[in-house]
Amino acid sequence: MRTVAQRDGQRRVLLSTVSSDAHTWNLVFLRLLLEEMGHEVVSLGPCVPDRLLLDSVRRVRPDLLVVSTVNGHGRIDGVRMIRRLRADPVARHTPAVIGGKLGVAGEEEGTAAARALVEAGFDAVFTDTADTALIGQILGELPQRAPEGRAV
């Protein structure tokens, strides 16, 4: 285990998919995008079980959790996952966003899914047509943390 202190302006982002999502290209794209913005990215890969995600948030202590979904089941898996995260005494205050294809029945379902995901505890929800620059905006608006060491 090593201890890492936050660097000037750089944020630690934990990147994941929902448990049923096996797509990896979305993770590669998001990792490159976030690193290009100057942030440290810890990627958990595809098909991440809720328990692994929660344990990783507790261990990594990210400034932001980014969850990607492209299989259309984000509305189901995301609600379950964020409720578990928000119920955890250590991880509950971690800012979390989800984005991608949230449903399989079209735009109307996606809008309803986005509302349900925010109500369940996500700080922001991005539909599959959202501007990727919004992620950088959210990271820029997060409060600065003290440069304490965190276990990785």
Side-chain angles (χ1 to χ4, degrees), residues 23-104:
H23 297 88
T24 56
W25 175 242
N26 53 322
L27 296 174
V28 171
F29 170 77
L30 285 168
R31 180 180 195 128
L32 292 172
L33 176 72
L34 290 162
E35 288 176 343
E36 189 174 289
M37 291 178 182
H39 304 294
E40 175 187 358
V41 179
V42 177
S43 182
L44 298 179
C47 296
V48 178
D50 294 351
R51 184 79 238 165
L52 174 60
L53 182 87
L54 181 57
D55 289 345
S56 297
V57 169
R58 291 174 64 99
R59 181 178 52 81
V60 173
R61 304 288 176 107
D63 296 299
L64 180 67
L65 169 63
V66 175
V67 180
S68 178
T69 178
V70 297
N71 69 0
H73 299 289
R75 73 191 189 290
I76 298 166
D77 295 337
V79 166
R80 184 192 64 244
M81 183 272 301
I82 197 64
R83 285 182 177 152
R84 289 182 179 167
L85 185 82
R86 295 301 181 228
D88 184 83
V90 174
R92 73 172 31 137
H93 299 292
T94 303
V97 300
I98 188 170
K101 187 174 179 187
L102 304 173
V104 294

